[in-house]
Amino acid sequence: MALISDLYGSMVFNDHVMQERLPSATYKILSQTLKEGKPLDLDEANAVAHAMKEWAIEKGATHYTHWFQPLTGITSEKHDSFINPQDDGRALVSFSGKELIQGEPDASSFPSGGLRSTFEARGYTAWDPTSYAFIKDGVLCIPTAFISYTGEALDKKTPLLRSMDAIAREAKRVLRFFGRDNATICTTVGPEQEYFLIKEEDYANRLDLLMTGRTLFGTSPCKGQELEEHYFGAVRPTVKRFMEELNAELWKLDIPATTEHNEVAPAQHELAPIFMSANAAIDANLLTMELMKKVASRHSMICLHHEKPFEGINGNGKHNNWSISADGQNMLDPGSTPSENLQFLVFLTAVIKAVDEYQGLLRVSVASAGNDHRLGANEAPPAIISVFLGDELESIVRAIIHSDDYINKGASLMDLGVPTLPKFIKDNTDRNRTSPFAFTGNKFEFRMPGGEINLSDANTVLNTIVAKTLADFADAVEDAPDFEKTAKEYMKQVLTDHQRIIFNGDNYCDDWPLEAEKRGLLNYRSTPECLPLIASQESIELFERFGVMSKIELESRMEVYLDQYSMKINIEGLVSSRMVRARYLPAIIEYSSMIAHSIEAKKDVSSALNTRAEEALLNRLTEGINAISDCVDVLDAAVAESAAIAEPQAKATAYLEKVIPAMSELRTHVDEMELLVGHDYWPVPSYNHMLFYT
Ligand code: ADP
Ligand code: MG
């Protein structure tokens, strides 16, 4: 195997390569562009494109593509060859600055929510030089933003970049009060990706997994996650090989995958890379997800990122670790004496205020049909947003609110009671795993995003709401004669006003929703319920003020997401019905008729034979067949009725209120039958089979 140092970043046109290959004047200008967001002129772009092409061809690339993130959330690419055929039969290899900077894919096949009228399908992709170009499968991929002919964002990257700009502007303003001018500000993200690995043959035998990414039927396995033996347990050899190969692929792309371990559920695992700037981290996460699928298939496995592939078992989340850095210094690092660290407290206060004021926008930034199975269902985190600070910070906040002196308890030494083990300093904050928004030492961990989600929306919201509260702070202290005094008074007021959002308890506890309701915190359980918040007055005012999204862009997004929700549930409804009619009902009928024949055969031998048990079983199977058949009729009707609705909100609500309950009622009966029908008759692989393999 190649040395890690040789492998690492070998497929990325990163800073090191640029420095080596670009004329030094061009390199300087490009660095300046990256640092200050200055535009690049065509001459420089031509020089960059040329170097990029030469490098890519040496690495075996034949094509290039503008790589972008339409509102579907996944990435898109259209490959163009570097080759330019000539009249004399030869071919020139070319790639110009213009081709690097701008592309023009047909936008008509991507959701735009009415932004693109049918006669104007044109869309542009624009190079994002802040995320490095890379080679994947012989194609030079250039990360780009995707916008309409009239300049509206048609993708997830554009608003994210605008939001990073907004928070950078406001953080700079705040840092000026601390005597720091012109710091380079960047929001940092480290996403922890959860996933399941199952065998390809099982996947191929389940229409639900194939079509929807999750099982729509299946009884719980005999053993779930109750023994907690899987978490951090030894990784199976097949999975170990997968992880090693995946790491090598990721390292080639400069993606610093570091931790990997089993998760709580059987067959579930997690991968966390080292954090990067938000946009690079999100590009990297999307690539990671793609590579996970690709590498899994080389091992005859399938990688599932869906938020709830298996009912009754932990789903997939994607914890979004987030912070702000200024010239490389972490603004959320409390240092050794947080109570005396005014700059840290100002940023902390801004985050707390932002999360409380814009709970709804944070909630909606992670809303999806898949994630509805996690948030507010039987799994954490809940749909109610609250902030966990930990004991030390919470005491500091209380001290500020009550104008008390904060007494630093200091770090205590842990004695493990065994002389040979080292004594170590106890962390001041215990780990809390149930909070949706937890302070974890020097960053916030937003735990609501789902496994399948593109993190751009969540980070666009986070950056923009914190930009807003940093601006509030800057406005409040701007003309104050005594900065420190005014800052402290401001924090006292803000923390008092927003203390309801702080909750250090157990978020899974049954009392919490009641307590949260008393505090006036929002609790949106479903996607259709919260999607209207995207285009609410509050949202339009906020995003327009910071130049992140316009009213039209927000409205179009709301429409696209409503549509996506309806389409997802529509597919689930159709697949449920198809599986029942084509596979489950025939199987249960066949099994029951085998029992009926057995009873008949026995009676033929002797009417004195007691077939009581078989008759009871036959009876239960027949009842099941009837119930399933009734329920699938109800489901079909609900799907047809919902599909016929035109207005997007009403349509999504119909899918939520009619189709989902019909599917779950149907599932209950099918799952009951799974416990009765003989193994050889059951038409699809069971949970036991899929989740426990060697
Ligand atoms: P957990 O204990 O939640 O499993 P991990 O150690 O697996 O946490 O992951 C923590 C993640 O947080 C890593 O991706 C790490 O790079 C990231 N992280 C650490 N510091 C920062 C920061 N300042 N900004 C953003 N992300 C960070
Ligand atoms: Mg985590």
Side-chain angles (χ1 to χ4, degrees):
M1 203 180 135
L3 287 175
I4 293 183
S5 49
D6 290 341
L7 207 65
Y8 202 86
S10 59
M11 289 300 177
V12 181
F13 195 73
N14 54 23
D15 191 62
H16 176 70
V17 180
M18 286 191 232
Q19 208 164 349
E20 229 174 51
R21 297 198 166 234
L22 291 176
S24 63
T26 311
Y27 174 75
K28 259 196 206 130
I29 295 172
L30 186 63
S31 306
Q32 208 66 3
T33 306
L34 300 186
K35 218 170 148 214
E36 293 162 21
K38 283 192 182 148
L40 201 64
D41 70 32
L42 200 57
D43 282 348
E44 310 304 342
N46 278 329
V48 177
H50 176 76
M52 227 185 232
K53 179 203 69 189
E54 295 291 304
W55 169 82
I57 287 175
E58 276 169 37
K59 299 269 177 196
T62 51
H63 290 69
Y64 72 92
T65 182
H66 276 198
W67 187 75
F68 59 103
Q69 302 164 30
L71 295 181
T72 52
I74 50 175
T75 54
S76 290
E77 43 194 84
K78 175 182 143 247
H79 302 167
D80 284 305
S81 160
F82 286 125
I83 290 175
N84 240 333
Q86 303 294 298
D87 291 342
D88 62 2
R90 290 180 307 165
L92 283 182
V93 183
S94 73
F95 182 53
S96 69
K98 189 165 177 291
E99 286 166 313
L100 165 67
I101 291 179
Q102 186 179 318
E104 214 178 298
D106 179 354
S108 59
S109 313
F110 299 102
S112 78
L115 269 186
R116 175 196 46 74
S117 44
T118 27
F119 60 87
E120 183 47 272
R122 207 175 303 185
Y124 292 111
T125 47
W127 178 34
D128 166 19
T130 60
S131 182
Y132 297 133
F134 55 91
I135 297 173
K136 179 168 68 78
D137 297 332
V139 178
L140 170 68
C141 299
I142 299 152
T144 54
F146 181 40
I147 47 182
S148 75
Y149 183 62
T150 41
E152 277 100 11
L154 292 174
D155 69 346
K156 300 212 174 220
K157 191 192 258 279
T158 308
L160 174 73
L161 292 175
R162 292 177 186 156
S163 75
M164 289 173 73
D165 235 36
I167 193 171
R169 251 184 342 259
E170 302 308 328
K172 264 187 205 170
R173 260 183 86 196
V174 168
L175 285 177
R176 246 174 247 136
F177 299 110
F178 291 94
R180 295 178 63 170
D181 276 328
N182 258 331
T184 300
I185 312 279
C186 169
T187 39
T188 50
V189 167
E192 299 163 52
Q193 178 72 49
E194 292 182 333
Y195 61 97
F196 281 85
L197 281 180
I198 62 164
K199 288 188 173 168
E200 211 163 47
E201 66 206 48
D202 293 338
Y203 177 78
N205 276 314
R206 297 214 45 146
L207 190 66
D208 46 5
L209 280 174
L210 266 164
M211 298 271 165
T212 71
R214 75 179 187 104
T215 54
L216 300 170
F217 301 95
T219 50
S220 307
C222 301
K223 175 164 104 171
Q225 56 205 47
E226 61 278 12
L227 295 177
E228 298 187 343
E229 59 190 355
H230 189 65
Y231 192 51
F232 281 20
V235 177
R236 297 172 205 175
T238 341
V239 174
K240 183 79 194 142
R241 283 195 296 276
F242 160 85
M243 286 177 171
E244 279 167 5
E245 212 175 303
L246 176 64
N247 281 342
E249 293 288 343
L250 293 172
W251 291 339
K252 281 187 213 167
L253 291 173
D254 251 352
I255 301 176
T258 51
T259 24
E260 53 187 34
H261 56 77
N262 288 348
E263 260 305 322
V264 275
Q268 194 187 27
H269 314 278
E270 181 190 290
L271 181 142
I274 295 172
F275 68 94
M276 295 185 260
S277 83
N279 69 322
I282 291 167
D283 285 354
N285 176 251
L286 292 164
L287 270 175
T288 302
M289 287 166 71
E290 187 182 324
L291 283 168
M292 280 178 164
K293 289 189 190 283
K294 213 175 272 170
V295 174
S297 83
R298 288 187 213 145
H299 296 267
S300 303
M301 298 208 283
I302 291 286
C303 178
L304 303 171
H305 296 120
H306 192 284
E307 285 78 13
K308 200 72 180 173
F310 304 98
E311 194 156 285
I313 286 172
N314 238 44
N316 288 321
K318 176 150 48 198
H319 295 172
N320 188 81
N321 293 277
W322 176 93
S323 190
I324 312 166
S325 113
D327 293 332
Q329 187 204 351
N330 183 354
M331 294 294 95
L332 290 175
D333 187 342
S336 48
T337 46
S339 56
E340 290 156 26
N341 185 342
L342 186 61
Q343 181 186 299
F344 162 71
L345 290 172
V346 166
F347 278 88
L348 179 77
T349 305
V351 177
I352 293 171
K353 179 172 194 269
V355 175
D356 188 34
E357 276 179 4
Y358 296 102
Q359 298 161 47
L361 289 183
L362 272 177
R363 168 68 182 89
V364 76
S365 76
V366 297
S368 72
N371 218 11
D372 282 357
H373 296 287
R374 292 175 67 237
L375 310 177
N378 297 326
E379 187 179 324
I384 307 162
I385 304 218
S386 62
V387 176
F388 168 86
L389 290 180
D391 294 340
E392 186 180 16
L393 277 195
E394 163 125 29
S395 323
I396 293 173
V397 166
R398 299 267 162 254
I400 296 175
I401 291 174
H402 302 293
S403 306
D404 292 339
D405 281 338
Y406 169 70
I407 298 152
N408 187 355
K409 291 195 217 88
S412 50
L413 216 54
M414 275 254 268
D415 185 351
L416 303 179
V418 182
T420 49
L421 291 178
K423 295 195 173 36
F424 58 81
I425 294 173
K426 200 168 134 187
D427 270 341
N428 274 338
T429 31
D430 191 9
R431 290 196 153 225
N432 168 300
R433 298 233 159 242
T434 66
S435 175
F437 201 91
F439 185 76
T440 46
N442 58 1
K443 62 191 186 294
F444 274 99
E445 182 171 347
F446 185 31
R447 298 188 176 127
M448 287 171 106
E452 208 152 49
I453 222 164
N454 176 322
L455 286 173
S456 298
D457 291 352
N459 286 289
T460 299
V461 168
L462 252 172
N463 294 342
T464 313
I465 63 181
V466 177
K468 150 81 169 58
T469 52
L470 288 173
D472 290 345
F473 172 79
D475 292 345
V477 298
E478 197 133 56
D479 301 317
D482 182 342
F483 165 68
E484 211 175 301
K485 183 163 165 276
T486 319
K488 284 182 178 157
E489 280 165 8
Y490 175 85
M491 285 199 301
K492 178 179 161 119
Q493 188 60 49
V494 168
L495 291 171
T496 309
D497 293 346
H498 296 282
Q499 51 183 318
R500 64 172 185 169
I501 199 74
I502 298 168
F503 180 64
N504 273 350
D506 177 3
N507 297 68
Y508 298 177
C509 162
D510 291 340
D511 296 340
W512 170 233
L514 304 171
E515 161 73 18
E517 199 180 335
K518 271 193 226 142
R519 295 187 185 194
L521 301 181
L522 298 176
N523 186 3
Y524 286 102
R525 276 166 229 272
S526 78
T527 298
E529 246 181 297
C530 64
L531 284 179
L533 297 177
I534 295 179
S536 62
Q537 200 51 38
E538 183 192 40
S539 166
I540 294 169
E541 266 164 32
L542 172 78
F543 287 114
E544 289 204 329
R545 171 174 165 196
F546 290 94
V548 173
M549 274 185 281
S550 66
K551 180 167 187 275
I552 300 178
E553 287 171 327
L554 288 162
E555 282 169 349
S556 73
R557 254 148 237 260
M558 183 182 81
E559 199 174 304
V560 169
Y561 294 164
L562 279 169
D563 253 18
Q564 274 169 359
Y565 179 86
S566 297
M567 285 189 287
K568 282 243 158 86
I569 308 295
N570 186 60
I571 294 169
E572 290 191 354
L574 295 176
V575 171
S576 286
S577 167
R578 189 70 63 90
M579 282 178 82
V580 164
R581 292 191 192 279
R583 309 221 52 180
Y584 291 121
L585 271 180
I588 307 165
I589 292 169
E590 193 190 345
Y591 185 64
S592 66
S593 88
M594 187 277 289
I595 306 277
H597 283 127
S598 150
I599 298 169
E600 210 174 32
K602 285 184 181 172
K603 292 285 180 203
D604 277 353
V605 173
S606 159
S607 59
L609 283 173
N610 185 346
T611 53
R612 177 173 52 85
E614 280 139 295
E615 281 173 49
L617 178 58
L618 182 59
N619 197 34
R620 286 178 72 187
L621 291 167
T622 309
E623 292 290 326
I625 291 167
N626 291 334
I628 290 171
S629 157
D630 291 346
C631 284
V632 76
D633 287 345
V634 171
L635 174 62
D636 284 349
V639 170
E641 194 186 315
S642 310
I645 299 171
E647 199 279 312
Q649 180 72 49
K651 190 183 189 115
T653 306
Y655 278 107
L656 170 71
E657 290 175 357
K658 302 230 162 82
V659 176
I660 289 182
M663 271 170 47
S664 87
E665 175 78 17
L666 176 61
R667 176 183 189 143
T668 312
H669 294 293
V670 173
D671 289 358
E672 258 172 46
M673 292 295 106
E674 189 180 346
L675 295 172
L676 297 183
V677 173
H679 175 273
D680 294 343
Y681 288 78
W682 200 246
V684 300
S686 66
Y687 276 24
N688 277 334
H689 184 82
M690 285 187 285
L691 292 168
F692 296 90
Y693 58 88
T694 48

